[in-house]
Amino acid sequence: MSDSQDGVRPCDPCDLAEQVARRSYGKLVAFLAATTRDVASAEDALSEAFATALADWPRNGCPQNPEAWLMTVARRKFLDASRSSQRETASDEIDEAAAMPFDEESAEIPDRRLGLMFACAHPAIDAAIRAPLMLQAILGLDAARIASAFLISPATMSQRLVRAKNKIRQAGIPLEIPERSQLRARLATVLDAIYAAFAEGWIDAAGTDVARRDLAEEAIYLGRFIVELLPDEPEGLGLLSLMLHAESRRQARRNTDGDYIPLTQQNPTLWNAAMIDEAESLLHRAGTMNMVGRYQLEAAIQSAHAVRARSGRSDWAAIVQLYDALFAISGSPVAAVNRALALAELHGARRALDHLDEVAADPRLKEYQPYWAARAELFARINARDEARHAYSIAIGLERDPSVRRFLEQRRMLVDE
């Protein structure tokens, strides 16, 4: 294949390889590992295939079907490595992998990502590493990036990921969607991983980081996949509703100069009405099943904010009640901070600060930027300038997004006016 000029097209090889990596990384890894359950070797083989592509495509042109090209090369490398390895992939599994049907000319590669995700959520895998393992296997995120999201060191995360992949291979955990009786027990972890991927993509509000923007789109795609697989699972419906509600506001989160705009100051006419309608329909379906969970509550909170597009104001009373319910089932400090801000809209800043004081001892809030930004805003509202300046300074120091940091700096300057 690499020496042929047939079936090629002019392109930028680097751009194409990057697009394929973003679009199909998890799909290719899941297909490669489907038979041998050797996720680490599948990743290695795919990495070598990408390296081969970057050497071959500039000379011979880009293939019409880059996924199929990469799959063919990766599969050959995967099988060669397995046969020569001193480790142990059983010969019958290698033969089975070699015989796995794959039409090189076809654009369709069987999508086995959900099977891989449910394998990562197997009870034999340490619960703490299941979601990070999915993020790496399905989305190709590196250990350092995942470690940042889960607040542990990159070295520790890397070691845990290696152990988890070895566990899948050594225990022979099948990379397939389990029987329905086992499926729901693993679903929560799968949903958490999808939402973590969406959250990582959501960080780039301006959409200038293509990789992050694609993460949000990929998470929504996987959410739709879950809903199609489990149409009667309310939390799957709730998660997809939540992601669509959030995504509907993407265009309103920054102005034309790239400046950050908080939710309460966004122009609702910029929200995507079709996406909101779909989110509302999904949430309604979930509500008819009478099994309320975290994602349905978070979607309902977004729905109460979306009311502003029709009425001109958010339903703060409903939002406070929903955060009460969310905090009751999750104990999440994030829910506590957001509830305080909603309380401020209903009952004033002083009461909201009292609520924040009740959770201030939670160590998870020490480096949580929204907590300090919320305290700063509430102190500013009651004209407690010293406290507001102090809280704003901590929030600014914790913020990585330049536009949000500028917003906080402007708010701090207003304290002194």
Side-chain angles (χ1 to χ4, degrees), residues 26 37 42 170 207 259 339 350 386 400 406:
R37 308 169 183 99
Q170 292 167 355
D259 295 328
R339 179 179 183 275
R350 173 52 67 189
D386 289 343
R400 291 179 296 171
R406 286 198 304 274

Side-chain angles (χ1 to χ4, degrees), residues 222-360:
L222 291 172
R224 293 187 189 283
F225 211 168
I226 288 287
V227 167
E228 183 179 341
L229 177 71
L230 294 169
D232 298 326
E233 176 50 55
E235 277 296 86
L237 293 165
L239 173 60
L240 182 55
S241 174
L242 168 60
M243 292 191 293
L244 290 173
H245 263 305
E247 188 68 14
S248 74
R249 299 198 298 268
R250 182 174 289 277
Q251 297 303 317
R253 298 176 66 204
R254 296 288 189 275
N255 64 19
T256 53
D257 294 325
D259 295 328
Y260 167 73
I261 302 175
L263 172 59
T264 55
Q265 296 175 26
Q266 290 175 9
N267 179 358
T269 63
L270 296 177
W271 295 348
N272 185 317
M275 220 174 264
I276 292 174
D277 288 346
E278 183 182 0
E280 292 291 294
S281 176
L282 290 162
L283 186 58
H284 177 73
R285 274 178 59 192
T288 63
M289 298 171 191
N290 298 317
M291 292 174 62
V292 177
R294 169 201 168 184
Y295 289 119
Q296 292 171 77
L297 288 171
E298 292 199 38
I301 291 167
Q302 298 306 317
S303 175
H305 281 295
V307 166
R308 184 152 63 92
R310 299 193 302 272
S311 68
R313 61 187 302 275
S314 300
D315 187 348
W316 291 110
I319 292 170
V320 169
Q321 288 184 338
L322 289 163
Y323 273 124
D324 283 343
L326 182 61
F327 186 74
I329 67 169
S330 69
S332 165
V334 176
V337 170
N338 288 323
R339 179 179 183 275
L341 291 172
L343 270 177
E345 300 298 326
L346 274 182
H347 302 298
R350 173 52 67 189
R351 183 163 170 181
L353 279 165
D354 290 342
H355 175 71
L356 276 188
D357 287 342
E358 293 173 5
V359 297

Side-chain angles (χ1 to χ4, degrees), residues 33-93:
T35 300
T36 63
R37 308 169 183 99
D38 192 340
V39 178
S41 293
E43 291 174 332
D44 290 343
L46 186 58
S47 177
E48 290 185 37
F50 272 107
T52 301
L54 290 175
D56 183 280
W57 293 353
R59 294 196 308 267
N60 300 314
C62 297
Q64 292 291 347
N65 187 339
E67 279 88 351
W69 193 103
L70 287 162
M71 178 58 71
T72 298
V73 175
R75 197 176 182 195
R76 185 171 63 243
K77 293 181 179 297
F78 179 79
L79 293 171
D80 289 346
S82 296
R83 286 177 172 132
S84 62
S85 174
Q86 296 302 312
R87 304 176 312 196
E88 60 321 294
T89 302
S91 58
D92 57 343
E93 290 180 343

Side-chain angles (χ1 to χ4, degrees), residues 192-203:
D192 288 347
I194 293 174
Y195 189 50
F198 179 82
E200 183 69 15
W202 182 243
I203 291 172

